[in-house]
Amino acid sequence: MQRICVIGGSRYFGKLLVKRLRAAGHQVTVLNRGSTPPPADVEHLVADRDDETALTTALGSRTFDVVVDQVCYTPVQAAVAARVFAARTRRYVMTSTIEVYDPATAALPAVPPGTPVPEELVDPASWTVATDLPWHDDTYLETHYAEGKRQAEAVFARAEGFAFASVRCAHVLGGGAQDFTGRLAHYTERITQGEEIAVHANARPTVFIHHEELADLLRWAATAGFTGPANACSDGPLDVHDLATVVATQAGREPVYRTVPAGAEASPFSVDRHYAMSNARAKKLGFSFSHTADWLPGAVAEALATAPSPTA
């Protein structure tokens, strides 16, 4: 049994992570702003992670074997957490994102199309950190999401007092109530209604992970002992047409596509640049991934069950 603090952990795959940790016999503390309570057998601390004094007060004298940070988006948040937890944990795991590799958001080395992107493309130990940018501005943060994650990783990678690992998540999918971004519903609704799906002319494949698999991977990462970034994605990349085909097959409707110019906004998961991740490092470290074909049809079925009735 280990003492594990989950920052966030009240929604979506974070909530499932907490259940997985408890089922594995760990002592779990959830720290969030109090909007949603955790299960009854989990300690709940309420604090705003942006408020260093409040965070320190809420933690009191508690120490942990591991902290799993589900909701760190900026280097400012990371710096606060690094100071507060420096003497309170021996391991810190941050949930990061595939978007750190998006070449549209930073000057990154080119990766040939079709070559899975490895972790070393974005090295947090050498990434520039700028805490004086307007990270507290929601509009700025929304448009600089990938850079916020890169810099947050960089702050933790240089912190002293604990070992650090980041899990760079692929696009997370689930059906029904687990479709927390609404992106799968975008396809089920448009296909069942016969509405257009906006796609790029040369849409590139991207990578996905089921919300349950991601919860399992984060549970594994909490105690696996590795440091540095690890990519988290199921085997079997898909482009936007592949995804739409799975939905259309179950819906019994043909997808209708509308091609948009390069650089224009399109439907979710239609990308005109390559940054599909490699999961080779996590496999080498001992995690076994599923294939998208193992779970995507089930997620689509759940999404279709809640989609509006098709129009005539």
Side-chain angles (χ1 to χ4, degrees), residues 67-135:
V67 173
V68 182
D69 193 341
Q70 294 280 83
V71 289
C72 187
Y73 302 105
T74 75
V76 176
Q77 292 177 325
V80 168
R83 289 192 294 268
V84 171
F85 285 99
R88 286 186 169 88
T89 188
R90 57 183 178 80
R91 179 170 176 77
Y92 202 104
V93 179
M94 173 189 155
T95 304
S96 191
T97 173
I98 183 177
E99 301 303 331
V100 301
Y101 301 116
D102 185 352
T105 65
L108 300 172
V111 178
T115 302
V117 176
E119 287 85 355
E120 54 264 30
L121 191 75
V122 176
D123 178 11
S126 61
W127 199 263
T128 300
V129 173
T131 56
D132 57 344
L133 295 174
W135 294 113

Side-chain angles (χ1 to χ4, degrees), residues 1-307:
M1 180 191 77
Q2 296 199 39
R3 293 167 297 171
I4 300 177
C5 176
V6 178
I7 304 178
S10 62
R11 300 188 300 164
Y12 312 127
F13 60 85
K15 186 175 181 179
L16 185 57
L17 167 63
V18 170
K19 293 180 179 179
R20 294 283 202 268
L21 290 170
R22 283 296 299 123
H26 299 298
Q27 179 181 320
V28 181
T29 296
V30 167
L31 190 152
N32 58 33
R33 290 181 294 182
S35 57
T36 305
D41 59 349
V42 170
E43 182 183 36
H44 188 200
L45 303 179
V46 177
D48 182 348
R49 67 164 305 145
D50 295 331
D51 185 332
E52 186 167 349
T53 300
L55 183 58
T56 301
T57 300
L59 288 167
S61 61
R62 293 172 180 81
T63 59
F64 306 95
D65 297 298
V66 188
V67 173
V68 182
D69 193 341
Q70 294 280 83
V71 289
C72 187
Y73 302 105
T74 75
V76 176
Q77 292 177 325
V80 168
R83 289 192 294 268
V84 171
F85 285 99
R88 286 186 169 88
T89 188
R90 57 183 178 80
R91 179 170 176 77
Y92 202 104
V93 179
M94 173 189 155
T95 304
S96 191
T97 173
I98 183 177
E99 301 303 331
V100 301
Y101 301 116
D102 185 352
T105 65
L108 300 172
V111 178
T115 302
V117 176
E119 287 85 355
E120 54 264 30
L121 191 75
V122 176
D123 178 11
S126 61
W127 199 263
T128 300
V129 173
T131 56
D132 57 344
L133 295 174
W135 294 113
H136 295 294
D137 184 312
D138 289 342
T139 300
Y140 182 86
L141 182 55
E142 182 177 359
T143 56
H144 293 79
Y145 171 71
E147 182 61 17
K149 285 290 193 178
R150 284 187 288 257
Q151 292 196 25
E153 285 191 47
V155 170
F156 284 126
R158 298 167 195 172
E160 298 180 355
F162 51 70
F164 172 66
S166 61
V167 174
R168 294 173 176 169
C169 307
H171 304 296
V172 185
L173 288 182
Q178 301 305 323
D179 182 21
F180 63 95
T181 64
R183 293 176 176 177
L184 188 55
H186 174 94
Y187 289 91
T188 57
E189 292 174 9
R190 275 161 177 73
I191 290 173
T192 56
Q193 299 296 327
E195 298 176 1
E196 292 180 335
I197 299 169
V199 299
H200 295 100
N202 295 306
R204 302 289 189 182
T206 188
V207 285
F208 299 88
I209 191 166
H210 190 260
H211 68 100
E212 292 187 3
E213 184 167 32
L214 181 53
D216 286 336
L217 187 141
L218 288 166
R219 177 191 58 78
W220 165 79
T223 58
F226 71 91
T227 58
N231 295 334
C233 59
S234 299
D235 293 329
L238 303 169
D239 65 25
V240 62
H241 298 93
D242 298 326
L243 178 61
T245 296
V246 175
V247 176
T249 298
Q250 293 198 45
R253 303 282 295 251
E254 288 295 322
V256 180
Y257 297 109
R258 174 173 57 85
T259 303
V260 301
E265 185 175 355
S267 290
F269 313 131
S270 179
V271 291
D272 57 359
R273 53 204 181 274
H274 170 64
Y275 58 105
M277 300 187 299
S278 165
N279 60 14
R281 182 173 193 239
K283 285 181 177 178
K284 186 176 180 180
L285 290 167
F287 190 83
S288 297
F289 289 96
S290 68
H291 193 283
T292 51
D294 297 333
W295 54 261
L296 183 56
V300 168
E302 292 174 354
L304 285 169
T306 59

